[in-house]
Amino acid sequence: MAVIGSGPAGFYTAYRVMSKIENAVVDMYEHLPVPYGLVRFGVAPDHPEVKNCQEKFAEVASSPRFNFIGNIAIGTDIPLASLKPHYDSLLLAYGASKDRQLGIPGEATLEGIHSARAFVGWYNGLPEYRDLTPELEAGEEAVIIGQGNVAMDVARILLTNVDALRGTDITEYALETLARSRIKRVHVVGRRGPLQAAFTIKEVRELMNLPSVAFDPPISPSLLPTNLSTLPRPPRRLMQVLQKGSITQSSIATKSWSLKFLLSPTRFLSSPQNPTQVSSIEFSKTRLEGTNAFDPSARAIPLNPPETISLPASIAFRSIGYISTPIPGLSDLNIPFDAARGLIPNQSGRVLSTANVPSPQAALHVPGVYCAGWVARGPTGVIASTMNDAFATADLIAQDWAGSAVFLNGIAGKSGSTGLGWEGVRREIEVRGKAGRRVDWEEWGKIDRKEVEMGRQRGKEREKFGKVEEMLDVLGR
């Protein structure tokens, strides 16, 4: 089985398939020289416990039936279709590599506007964003548009005393920039109300407990039910934390954060003094449709007549969700991609195609092709939900294999492939003369040990390399 992507979805599916199908061999392809995807580049540095799953992934990778093929980009270094002859099945688990846009004036033209994904990738050492330059010295006000857990992570990193982050695996260049930050107030803004927000209690509690940081102003009682006991336990506990507020009173706090509800962004604005830099954001006021404003699924609609307000913003982050994109070559294997939803059409992990069928309801499984994680279900949930999703996909792969289904190379009950796996693919790379140096698991171990060593010298867990070239230099290229 070829796995595209080395994040939690890929590893959990590989683990399950290897445990359910005797003698199954997994080749995992990753376009970077380093594994773990979202665990390495998306989990906040002050949440090290979330990264404990890496130990399980390393255990999977230690099997002689597992091969890591790092620094090889499928679709760029080698066509996706070139994998087909050498494998029985293909698992697409490459996550969501882009972020959703707001599509409002000023977003693409003004400086000081960043995606939360880029900012998180920047402080976590994702090479794609190594050269990001967040304008944390431009002023004291930051606005985050979106109210999910990623937005809360961004707020917490902006407000946390930089010395509290020095022992984590946050990058040194991010620490240097954060140490110069002038940000004192962070506003986390959403279109709907607190009962519809996507953040969870852990992230809110962490912000409430930050030393010298106040939650100000408190949430208006009009946004909450009169009697919180009428709510189910999870939202009730969350609303109680919001009501209680921060451990630091605003009168003695040096920084503050707020949650702004029922506001939809309409445009980014600059000032006459600096016409190229964002200085404020205009929002239209909204209300919740229907008679129950505390319904978690209630939709936000604009006020009629319209009303707008502006919030000052020396820097702004959009945090309205990630989105997957198609890797080059999907169509060559008749693998569809739903661009509107940003995912691969599937049924519980089996990739479905509507080509040559009378209706979408008659969609057929693309033989031997499966998907898992965010590219399968969209960018929602936590690592535990990704694990469950991956296990479900793996169980279907095992079921199909045991049931003698048709796999990649079209022979029911038989392999049909060359069985060469990576060796067959490697030969094609050599024939094509395509640049790209494969990094195997042992070599990733060398990069890993070097990062840990550099971190130890700085009194921290590790110091990540922020550029692919730096990673490869460890290996002597």
Side-chain angles (χ1 to χ4, degrees):
M1 179 171 77
V3 176
I4 313 301
S6 69
F11 266 104
Y12 280 126
T13 308
Y15 162 70
R16 188 80 154 197
V17 166
M18 292 167 66
S19 65
K20 289 217 159 196
I21 302 178
E22 187 178 4
N23 298 322
V25 176
V26 172
D27 288 351
M28 180 174 284
Y29 290 84
E30 167 59 52
H31 76 283
L32 291 171
V34 296
Y36 303 146
L38 187 69
V39 178
R40 178 180 169 98
F41 297 118
V43 174
D46 56 347
H47 286 173
E49 72 284 353
V50 179
K51 303 180 185 183
N52 289 339
C53 58
Q54 292 177 165
E55 296 176 7
K56 183 63 180 179
F57 302 160
E59 178 187 324
V60 173
S62 68
S63 169
R65 295 188 286 130
F66 179 94
N67 299 297
F68 178 68
I69 298 113
N71 201 41
I72 299 293
I74 300 300
T76 303
D77 290 330
I78 192 163
L80 177 63
S82 296
L83 272 62
K84 181 181 178 182
H86 308 299
Y87 294 96
D88 298 304
S89 63
L90 172 67
L91 175 75
L92 300 162
Y94 58 84
S97 61
K98 301 297 180 184
D99 66 288
R100 295 186 181 276
Q101 308 286 310
L102 291 164
I104 60 176
E107 181 179 17
T109 56
L110 293 178
E111 298 173 359
I113 301 166
H114 304 279
S115 75
R117 178 184 183 275
F119 186 67
V120 170
W122 169 76
Y123 64 63
N124 274 329
L126 183 59
E128 179 182 356
Y129 296 115
R130 171 61 181 87
D131 297 324
L132 191 78
T133 53
E135 299 82 350
L136 302 183
E137 300 176 69
E140 298 182 347
E141 307 272 355
V143 173
I144 305 168
I145 299 170
Q147 293 183 329
N149 282 341
V150 174
M152 305 302 264
D153 283 347
V154 171
R156 193 177 65 257
I157 294 297
L158 290 173
L159 293 168
T160 297
N161 186 306
V162 72
D163 289 333
L165 296 172
R166 293 192 187 279
T168 72
D169 68 355
I170 192 171
T171 57
E172 199 67 21
Y173 59 79
L175 284 174
E176 293 172 2
T177 301
L178 289 165
R180 299 192 299 269
S181 173
R182 294 176 55 205
I183 299 298
K184 291 186 177 180
R185 287 176 291 278
V186 177
H187 307 287
V188 186
V189 186
R191 293 180 300 109
R192 301 191 291 168
L195 269 299
Q196 293 81 32
F199 50 67
T200 53
I201 192 169
K202 178 179 184 290
E203 282 67 26
V204 172
R205 187 178 283 124
E206 286 175 331
L207 276 164
M208 293 297 190
N209 290 336
L210 282 180
S212 303
V213 177
F215 180 59
D216 182 51
I219 291 179
S220 168
S222 64
L223 295 172
L224 301 173
T226 304
N227 185 2
L228 291 182
S229 64
T230 61
L231 297 173
R233 186 171 183 268
R236 180 176 73 247
R237 291 177 61 231
L238 176 56
M239 295 306 110
Q240 288 170 341
V241 171
L242 290 176
Q243 273 191 331
K244 184 178 179 181
S246 56
I247 61 171
T248 302
Q249 299 300 311
S250 57
S251 58
I252 60 172
T254 56
K255 298 178 182 178
S256 68
W257 73 287
S258 71
L259 289 167
K260 303 287 188 183
F261 299 104
L262 302 176
L263 296 175
S264 180
T266 54
R267 58 176 175 161
F268 293 98
L269 301 169
S270 62
S271 67
Q273 293 77 21
N274 193 349
T276 63
Q277 171 77 24
V278 67
S279 65
S280 64
I281 308 171
E282 182 184 270
F283 294 86
S284 63
K285 293 185 178 181
T286 65
R287 67 176 180 85
L288 294 172
E289 193 175 37
T291 57
N292 184 5
F294 308 125
D295 179 353
S297 62
R299 293 176 59 249
I301 58 175
L303 294 185
N304 188 14
E307 293 184 33
T308 62
I309 68 164
S310 292
L311 292 178
S314 53
I315 189 169
F317 301 90
R318 61 173 179 272
S319 185
I320 57 172
Y322 295 178
I323 188 168
S324 298
T325 57
I327 59 173
L330 288 182
S331 60
D332 295 337
L333 294 182
N334 297 315
I335 300 171
F337 190 86
D338 187 334
R341 300 170 65 199
L343 50 79
I344 294 171
N346 70 97
Q347 184 176 50
S348 303
R350 289 189 182 105
V351 172
L352 300 178
S353 174
T354 56
N356 303 316
V357 296
S359 68
Q361 291 72 29
L364 300 174
H365 177 209
V366 180
V369 183
Y370 303 84
C371 58
W374 285 4
V375 76
R377 73 171 190 272
T380 60
V382 294
I383 290 176
S385 52
T386 295
M387 179 186 71
N388 293 330
D389 171 62
F391 282 178
T393 297
D395 289 347
L396 284 178
I397 296 171
Q399 177 184 318
D400 288 349
W401 187 257
S404 298
V406 174
F407 271 73
L408 264 183
N409 293 288
I411 302 175
K414 295 183 180 180
S415 171
S417 77
T418 66
L420 292 173
W422 160 245
E423 283 305 309
V425 177
R426 179 181 61 81
R427 293 173 191 175
E428 179 155 343
I429 291 179
E430 292 174 351
V431 170
R432 287 164 54 88
K434 185 70 177 178
R437 180 204 189 284
R438 182 250 179 132
V439 174
D440 62 24
W441 194 258
E442 182 180 344
E443 291 175 315
W444 147 241
K446 293 179 182 178
I447 297 171
D448 179 40
R449 289 189 292 274
K450 184 63 176 178
E451 288 186 339
V452 172
E453 178 189 334
M454 293 191 304
R456 189 181 300 116
Q457 293 170 356
R458 292 175 169 85
K460 57 196 298 191
E461 181 181 338
R462 75 168 60 231
E463 177 60 28
K464 295 175 187 171
F465 292 111
K467 294 184 178 181
V468 169
E469 295 78 11
E470 296 171 345
M471 301 172 188
L472 297 181
D473 282 343
V474 175
L475 309 177
R477 302 221 189 199

